[in-house]
Amino acid sequence: MSTRQPIIAANWKMHKTHLEAIQSVQKLSYLLDESDAERVEVVICPAFTALRAVQTLIQSDRLPYGLGAQDVHAKDQGAFTGEVSPSMLKALSVGYVIVGHSERRQQFGEDDAVVNAKVRAVFAHGMTPILCVGESLQERDFGNTQEKIAGQVRAGLAGVAEADAARLVLAYEPIWAIGTGRNAEPSDAGEVIGHIRSTVSAIFGDAAASAVRIQYGGSVKAGNIRDFMAHPEVDGALVGGASLDPEDFALIVKYRA
């Protein structure tokens, strides 16, 4: 097992109104105890419309959860209708921002340059990006996984300072295993995550690579989290559908490898 503190993040995607978000976080707080929060860093990433409500609840009830956003624009302000800036997120005490999720890359056309601009903007405002990388089924079948992943890591971290890189969170999310019920085997996920860490080392050095936490994301459930977390390269999970139910998510957080 890794000596880095695991980080398990709930990516609610386009689910839950602000009232439903409050109810979910309250229920989660009853299901998790102090020992869970000490062992695992828990991050909740609601929709933009629920960020303020969840922030207020976390602060007022002193809940030991980090607050994350699911996306961000790279600019601080401007004529970008419908977008949310990093300074707006920072003002809401957001600590983490998911950047480059496969759904953003595939459905909204975000390329490596856009992802990199967002990563640097998140760092510039004192927040931590959760940089997502992953390969398609075709790329996997053609044996291009390592080349694709290394390319995304290098492009996503271009121009990032070594000190910032050390506090980065990366998420390996094989596209073919998201929402399909298919999973990478823990050994396969660990191998790719090891390659990600080697790529970070080649860019920033061993110290930064050792500090970086790398999650696995891809149909993570209570039934398989233990196997993934038992691998020494896996530092946590980016959880999608299974995070929508507080009871399911609590079981994931409470895993024992």
Side-chain angles (χ1 to χ4, degrees), residues 19-162:
L19 294 176
E20 292 168 336
I22 291 172
Q23 292 171 349
S24 291
V25 175
Q26 286 176 328
K27 187 170 184 179
L28 184 66
S29 71
Y30 299 138
L31 296 168
L32 298 177
D33 56 34
E34 290 185 11
S35 65
D36 296 317
E38 291 173 356
R39 190 175 57 86
V40 175
E41 183 175 4
V42 176
V43 178
I44 309 296
C45 303
F48 284 134
T49 54
L51 277 172
R52 175 59 172 165
V54 174
Q55 175 219 5
T56 301
L57 178 60
I58 288 174
Q59 292 182 341
S60 63
D61 289 6
R62 298 181 180 180
L63 300 177
Y65 309 144
L67 181 63
Q70 298 177 19
D71 189 28
V72 68
H73 194 279
K75 300 291 186 181
D76 273 353
Q77 59 185 4
F80 304 106
T81 300
E83 293 295 323
V84 174
S85 75
S87 57
M88 293 174 182
L89 297 181
K90 182 66 175 180
L92 288 174
S93 300
V94 167
Y96 293 91
V97 184
I98 299 172
V99 178
H101 192 281
S102 61
E103 292 163 2
R104 299 299 311 179
R105 295 179 190 261
Q106 290 184 301
Q107 298 180 33
F108 299 94
E110 293 190 4
D111 59 17
D112 286 334
V114 170
V115 172
N116 175 247
K118 291 183 177 185
V119 166
R120 289 186 284 110
V122 171
F123 275 133
H125 286 79
M127 299 177 290
T128 298
I130 299 177
L131 172 59
C132 301
V133 298
E135 83 280 25
S136 68
L137 181 60
Q138 184 180 41
E139 288 164 337
R140 174 182 170 83
D141 287 344
F142 286 170
N144 294 333
T145 292
Q146 292 197 356
E147 179 182 356
K148 175 61 178 287
I149 298 298
Q152 288 181 323
V153 171
R154 289 182 178 278
L157 298 179
V160 170
E162 181 180 339

